[in-house]
């Protein structure tokens, strides 16, 4: 198997692989170009997001500075706001639903590294997709770790580190994030 195939299969892979490095280099260039667009030119920003990301719904906006590892693994629904300094390490897929807001300085990562120093010296990594449902508000300075699924109608309090799946209709917060209370869904159809 190639390193890309290992990564897509959820196996440990070497991120020093030429194919993976080329993909990351392309993403760095796209992010530089996106972040250079005039901050008042929302149409140009939206058009560029449609070019660089895997899929983009209607009314999607990401503030500067936006950083990602691939771009094409990010899939965003309708009515999305990503505030300042959003980083999405999309080695694997990141699926974001409709009506999602993400606060500033937030990290969504699909990639992790082994506990073994020998393996880390060998540039090894593992990656798992992240899924974020509809009607989600992620506060500022939140970290979402690989493999996490966040349900619908969820609020993640500022500063939280999400290490486990979050069920529908929940407010979570803390390090690690824990359930604070259940939320009413007043838009359920």
């Amino acid at each position: 198997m190639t390193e890309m195939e290992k990564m897509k299969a959820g196996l440990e892979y070497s991120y020093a692989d030429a194919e993976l490095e080329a993909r990351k280099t392309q993403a760095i260039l796209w992010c530089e170009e996106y972040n250079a667009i005039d901050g008042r030119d929302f149409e140009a920003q939206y058009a560029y997001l449609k070019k660089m990301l895997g899929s983009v719904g209607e009314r999607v906006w990401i503030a500067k500075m936006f950083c990602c590892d691939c771009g094409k693994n990010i899939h965003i629904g309708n009515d999305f706001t990503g505030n300042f300094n959003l980083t999405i390490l999309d080695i694997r897929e990141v699926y974001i639903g409709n009506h999602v807001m993400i606060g500033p300085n937030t990290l969504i990562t699909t990639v992790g590294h082994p506990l073994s120093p020998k393996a880390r010296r060998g540039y090894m990594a593992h990656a798992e997709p992240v899924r974020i449902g509809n009607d989600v508000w992620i506060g500022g300075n939140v970290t979402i770790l690989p493999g996490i699924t966040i349900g619908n109608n969820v609020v993640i309090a500022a500063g939280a580190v999400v290490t486990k799946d979050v069920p529908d209709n929940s407010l979570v917060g803390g390090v690690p994030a824990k359930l604070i209370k259940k939320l009413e869904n007043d838009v359920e159809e």
Side-chain angles (χ1 to χ4, degrees):
M1 293 177 86
T2 67
E3 296 306 309
M4 181 77 76
E5 290 169 337
K6 290 178 192 174
M7 182 270 300
K8 288 181 177 180
L11 303 172
E12 195 170 66
Y13 66 93
S14 171
Y15 64 86
D17 175 70
E19 183 179 15
L20 290 168
E21 285 182 345
R23 189 170 78 163
K24 184 170 188 148
T25 300
Q26 178 63 66
I28 290 168
L29 294 173
W30 281 338
C31 289
E32 286 177 357
E33 291 172 1
Y34 177 78
N35 291 321
I37 297 171
D38 185 320
R40 299 163 294 184
D41 193 345
F42 301 115
E43 286 183 29
Q45 291 171 342
Y46 179 67
Y48 204 88
L49 288 174
K50 288 182 84 168
K51 169 188 165 182
M52 74 185 278
L53 303 183
S55 60
V56 176
E58 300 295 321
R59 296 169 303 283
V60 171
W61 178 72
I62 300 176
K64 296 177 182 184
M65 301 304 281
F66 173 56
C67 298
C68 65
D69 265 347
C70 173
K72 292 299 182 185
N73 283 335
I74 299 171
H75 304 277
I76 300 175
N78 298 321
D79 297 310
F80 174 80
T81 297
N83 215 318
F84 298 102
N85 300 317
L86 173 60
T87 299
I88 302 178
L89 301 182
D90 64 316
I91 297 297
R92 287 290 307 269
E93 300 80 9
V94 175
Y95 300 100
I96 300 172
N98 299 317
H99 312 290
V100 174
M101 299 182 300
I102 298 180
N105 303 310
T106 290
L107 166 65
I108 300 169
T109 180
T110 65
V111 64
H113 300 280
L115 297 177
S116 159
K118 182 178 181 182
R120 288 193 307 271
R121 286 183 183 191
Y123 308 105
M124 300 308 289
H126 56 86
E128 300 174 71
V130 169
R131 291 172 175 79
I132 299 170
N134 298 319
D135 298 298
V136 174
W137 174 25
I138 299 170
N141 295 303
V142 167
T143 299
I144 300 171
L145 296 181
I148 298 298
T149 296
I150 296 170
N152 298 314
N153 187 33
V154 168
V155 176
I156 300 175
V161 177
V162 182
T163 62
K164 295 182 180 175
D165 291 351
V166 179
D168 292 350
N169 307 311
S170 297
L171 166 62
V172 300
V175 179
K178 293 187 167 115
L179 180 66
I180 295 172
K181 72 178 195 174
K182 296 301 281 179
L183 301 175
E184 176 188 349
N185 188 340
D186 58 4
V187 296
E188 237 173 7
E189 298 163 349

